Amino acid sequence: MCDLLTPLLNTICPDLILLERSDGNLFHWNHLMKGDKLVLHRSKRDWMWRQFFLSEEYTGSNYQYVGKLRSDKDRGDGTARYVLSGEGAGTIFRIDEKSGDLHATQRLDREEKASYTLQAQAFNKITGLPLEPATEFIVKIHDINDNEPKFTKAVYTASVPEMSDIGTFVIEVNATDADDATYGNSAKLVYSILQGQPYFSVEPETGIVRIALSNMDREVRKEYQVVIQAKDMAGQMGGLSGTTMVNVTLTDVNDSPPRFAYSSYHLSTYESAEIGSTVGRIKANDGDEGENAEMKYRIVDGDGKEYLDIITDETTQEGVMKLDYESKRVYTVKVEVTNTHQDPSFSDLGPFLDTAIVKVTAKDVDEPPVFSRPQYVFEVNEDTPKGIAVGTIAAWDPDATHYPIQYAIDQHTDPERLYHIDPKNGSITILKSLDREVSKWHNISVLASEINNPHQRSRVPVLIKVLDVNDNAPEFAMIYETFVCENVKAGQLIQTISAIDTDDPLVGHKFVFTLSSMNPNFTIFDNEDNTARILTRRSGFNRREMSVYYLPVVISDSDYPIQSSTSTLTIRVCSCDATGNMRSCSVDALLLSAGLSTGALVAILLCILILLMIVVLFSALKKQRRKEPLIISKEDVRDNVVSYNDEGGGEEDTQAFDIGTLRHPEVIESNKLRRDIIPEMLFPYHRPSPMKECADVRDFIISRLQENDTDPFTPPYDSLATYAYEGNGSIAESLSSLESSVTEGDHEYDYLSNWGPQFKKLADMYIGKDTGVAN
């Protein structure tokens, strides 16, 4: 073991010289240079050990012996005790305290831990003092081939273009071995291929997979599965191995030309098919995919080359045949298909094009008329007279019969009936005057139908542009609020004006501004940019003398014929401050400035309003005071006899009469009689007046009676009231029927029996009483 330690120690400590004694002890010499002489000092080593290495995966039944640790301070009398510390001390490694023998108590795996660092020290059992300082040593685990190679991936994925050359790189696989690569061949790997020959090969040392067979066609086979093995022990017998799978996909290259399945195709369509409609589809086959399978179709020859067209459907890669124009029953064309993306390296597999004959037949069907254009656009001046032709529409019958065509304007598109079309020749004329300022474009629809079959009808849009004619005069661009200061000076600018014109000349508007006549107060200056300035001709305006001036301005355009108009500019005279800012323009404000302020005027108006309210209130109170009480004094006697056809309020009902009216008949016109009760029947009854001397009351009653008898709209009423009034000092005394028994005999009550069953009880009372008195 010392032979093994000597080189190691020389490597670690080159300043030490190790010497081995015959008894197996090691000594080291420290060499020091003193001048040119080498001085050696001998120092005896205190420790000795026999073994440093331990085999992994030990399968024995006893503890595995590691080595013996012994200090030369140990005299062999049993007083020395050995103690072990460090990695795994007491668990993995155990030392005999007496002999210093070191054993491993567990099965070790180098792949988990390759070495252990331990410290050993000898103590005196009696004193407990260390015999010498602790010494460190390392126990290394010897490797055995107990791990198989493992690939970094369980499955690899790779792709390589088809038709690649032999030796083309595909992918590199990598495997690792957990065994010690520095000890033996346990971790030396060799790669080999177990599945995938003869298409692929693998380099034994690097694991690079390459193409082993040329002309591998993706259209024949697209995917391959290759199994790669990695074996340790340099691939020798008894070595461990691991495998992985590589999925190889051949990517497409443009090595397959497009080919039609048939040499000729037959398509058919109806002759009524619209221009640009699809006639049919044809498709060529290409074994490639993606952009390598993209194809382009074109017509290269045939009598239908001018009438048919073919385009490529980008999604399905089909050739779509379309009808450009119909004039024949049968068309024959030659169609060519080519790849849009060609690879020159595979040109020897070509040619990358193919051709086929396509025959198209048009089936007969009754079609509507066809216009010569998809739409018509005409221009006409807005001053064109009525009856002038705007343009002509042309259509024909595409069928073999060639029926005549008649034309009409769709009235829904021409609600104002501005145009007319000749039903035979399709000429469009003007019916009414046109105005470009109302509408610049007219969009109408013209209908064409077969005379023999009106249901076969076609429609075409007709756009008529109305061209401008200078028929409108320019005018002010806006309503101007112009004012001039009283303290203005002559030649001062008070307004800049501009104009607008609804016409639209080709060279743009050019307006000229002038005054209709010489004005002593104002003048105008044309800026020649379609604007003009209004200037004062004099200074010192007074709004007391003239508050408003009217200035006629003539505006002319420069188109032909020249149009002009006169617009009036209203100029107010205003009060301004020293800087020319307007303060007031109204005459009322002028009056206010002369005397009263605004606050004073408001106060005056409020006072007038309050006085009016007081007058109205006083009048209302005075009118209410005119109504006298019903009874003035104790001498007033009231007798009221009221008859109702329903139950009334008795004597407390004061709404039936107003005694004040009897006292003052002249105010009766302002009062209304009670008409709130409608009787079932009413018989006129005239009671003799007991007061012949009171002519005013009698005349009042007679006049009211005549008024009600002659009024056809006055409803009857069932209230009979007898009023008697005795004034102060009257010689007639009381006229009340309640107080006088003499006058009761003068009454006749026979009429009560004619009032119906409702008044039967009343009639019995009065008629019976009358009869009793007479007897």
Side-chain angles (χ1 to χ4, degrees), residues 521-522 538 541 546-551 569-571 573:
N521 303 309
F522 305 98
R538 64 181 179 87
F541 289 85
M546 180 71 71
S547 62
V548 179
Y549 291 90
Y550 298 97
L551 181 65
L569 184 66
T570 301
I571 305 174
V573 180

Side-chain angles (χ1 to χ4, degrees), residues 500-680:
I500 57 173
D501 192 340
T502 55
D503 292 324
D504 189 15
L506 297 177
V507 296
H509 292 291
K510 178 61 179 177
F511 301 127
V512 177
F513 299 87
T514 57
L515 295 179
S516 60
S517 62
M518 179 64 67
N519 191 291
N521 303 309
F522 305 98
T523 184
I524 191 170
F525 181 81
D526 194 338
N527 297 326
E528 297 183 356
D529 59 353
N530 294 335
T531 62
R533 290 176 290 171
I534 304 299
L535 307 175
T536 56
R537 185 181 292 273
R538 64 181 179 87
S539 60
F541 289 85
N542 191 335
R543 53 179 167 165
R544 291 188 181 90
E545 298 176 358
M546 180 71 71
S547 62
V548 179
Y549 291 90
Y550 298 97
L551 181 65
V553 178
V554 179
I555 308 174
S556 305
D557 58 22
S558 58
D559 205 356
Y560 180 82
I562 295 177
Q563 300 287 340
S564 63
S565 67
T566 301
S567 299
T568 301
L569 184 66
T570 301
I571 305 174
R572 295 182 299 163
V573 180
C574 300
S575 173
C576 303
D577 55 17
T579 59
N581 296 323
M582 180 183 66
R583 291 189 300 181
S584 175
C585 293
S586 63
V587 178
D588 295 338
L590 183 62
L591 295 177
L592 291 176
S593 63
L596 300 176
S597 63
T598 303
L601 283 178
V602 172
I604 292 173
L605 291 177
L606 288 176
C607 292
I608 294 174
L609 182 62
I610 292 173
L611 289 175
L612 289 176
M613 293 177 62
I614 293 174
V615 170
V616 172
L617 182 61
F618 180 77
S619 299
L621 293 175
K622 185 177 181 181
K623 183 177 180 180
Q624 186 175 3
R625 290 176 181 175
R626 288 178 181 178
K627 294 184 179 181
E628 297 181 1
L630 186 62
I631 299 176
I632 301 176
S633 64
K634 295 182 179 180
E635 295 180 358
D636 293 335
V637 179
R638 180 181 64 185
D639 185 12
N640 188 11
V641 179
V642 183
S643 298
Y644 297 99
N645 63 350
D646 61 347
E647 184 176 357
E651 293 183 356
E652 295 180 358
D653 187 359
T654 60
Q655 297 296 328
F657 69 96
D658 184 4
I659 197 169
T661 304
L662 298 177
R663 294 192 178 97
H664 305 282
E666 66 274 9
V667 299
I668 191 63
E669 293 300 330
S670 63
N671 298 325
K672 296 294 181 180
L673 296 179
R674 175 170 173 168
R675 295 187 179 94
D676 57 337
I677 301 174
I678 301 175
E680 293 184 357

Side-chain angles (χ1 to χ4, degrees), residues 12 29 91 100 139 189 197 207 247 292 326 333 338 371 404 412-413 419 431 436 466 588 594 601 648 698 756:
I12 299 175
W29 297 83
T91 56
V139 178
L189 305 181
Q197 295 174 334
N247 293 325
N292 295 324
E326 178 188 345
V333 292
T338 59
F371 289 95
H412 294 90
T413 61
Y419 301 97
L431 290 180
R436 190 201 66 88
V466 181
D588 295 338
L601 283 178
R698 183 170 53 250

Side-chain angles (χ1 to χ4, degrees), residues 486-505:
E486 290 180 313
N487 56 355
V488 71
K489 297 180 180 180
Q492 186 170 342
L493 174 67
I494 62 173
Q495 184 68 59
T496 300
I497 59 175
S498 62
I500 57 173
D501 192 340
T502 55
D503 292 324
D504 189 15

Side-chain angles (χ1 to χ4, degrees), residues 91 104 113 178 198 213 229 240 362 389 406 442 460 493 512 569 636 649 684 698 722 731 733 753:
T91 56
K113 190 171 180 62
L213 184 65
Q229 175 185 265
L240 303 179
Q406 60 181 359
H442 296 156
V460 67
L493 174 67
V512 177
L569 184 66
D636 293 335
R698 183 170 53 250
T722 302
I731 60 174
E733 299 179 352
S753 60

